[in-house]
Amino acid sequence: LTRWWETDTLAWKLAVAYAVWLGLKAACTIRGYPLEPRSDGTPWPIGDGFGDRSGRHQGIDIRAGCGTNVVAFTDGQVRWRDNPSGYGYYIDLYHTDADGNLTGDFTRYAHLQSSKDEVPNGQYVTAGQLIGVSGGALNMEGAGNSNGCHLHFEYRQVPEGGGTPVPIDPAPLLGDPVT
């Protein structure tokens, strides 16, 4: 077994250092992937990435089929479920630290078939727990501005010193997803 500091790749060292920093900041609550894997066990591929569409895309689009189970990326509290025009049905999951305290960071899961029946507003969930079902097909109820099945996934992080959570690219937090 090679220790991370003995590897030759700078990318690996930076990734581990970032994960350690992020883990300390978020009290190690980041745990998983926002969708159940495909039947072969691999993650769903990423379509549009963070910042695509002239920098206006504040998340990533994961190309999952309609009806794929959407699961909590981390432990947290469901704080918002709605159907505004762009996101369609969506859930904001506010993250908790190791002690169960809300951190202010949250993840957004959008273009769901519904979120009404899976988890009620205010409910605490654990990483990997079912919170919705992917949708987004053209003319599907709750699709929002979408024309194909996928999950729009955002991560918003409170800046050092506090303030309004800002979007960060969630792709590096997913490990090594297929692009």
Side-chain angles (χ1 to χ4, degrees), residues 145-167:
N145 294 339
S146 173
N147 58 11
C149 296
H150 71 282
L151 174 69
H152 175 80
F153 182 65
E154 295 182 11
Y155 190 110
R156 298 201 180 208
Q157 185 175 50
V158 175
E160 286 295 322
T164 303
V166 295

Side-chain angles (χ1 to χ4, degrees), residues 71-178:
V71 297
F73 176 69
T74 188
D75 298 347
Q77 182 185 34
V78 174
R79 289 297 254 345
W80 188 256
R81 303 167 320 176
D82 209 346
N83 186 21
S85 62
Y87 287 118
Y89 289 130
Y90 76 96
I91 290 176
D92 282 349
L93 180 66
Y94 278 74
H95 303 179
T96 53
D97 63 17
D99 296 321
N101 302 309
L102 294 170
T103 65
D105 292 359
F106 69 92
T107 41
R108 177 168 290 162
Y109 310 77
H111 306 307
L112 303 177
Q113 285 187 21
S114 76
S115 61
K116 296 176 278 195
D117 300 327
E118 284 75 16
V119 289
N121 208 15
Q123 179 175 330
Y124 282 86
V125 296
T126 58
Q129 183 176 335
L130 176 68
I131 59 172
V133 177
S134 65
L138 186 62
N139 299 322
M140 176 182 276
E141 179 186 355
N145 294 339
S146 173
N147 58 11
C149 296
H150 71 282
L151 174 69
H152 175 80
F153 182 65
E154 295 182 11
Y155 190 110
R156 298 201 180 208
Q157 185 175 50
V158 175
E160 286 295 322
T164 303
V166 295
I168 63 168
D169 185 358
L173 304 176
L174 301 180
D176 191 17
V178 180

Side-chain angles (χ1 to χ4, degrees), residues 58-78:
Q58 297 184 338
I60 59 174
D61 290 341
I62 304 173
R63 297 183 305 211
C66 281
T68 302
N69 286 336
V70 176
V71 297
F73 176 69
T74 188
D75 298 347
Q77 182 185 34
V78 174

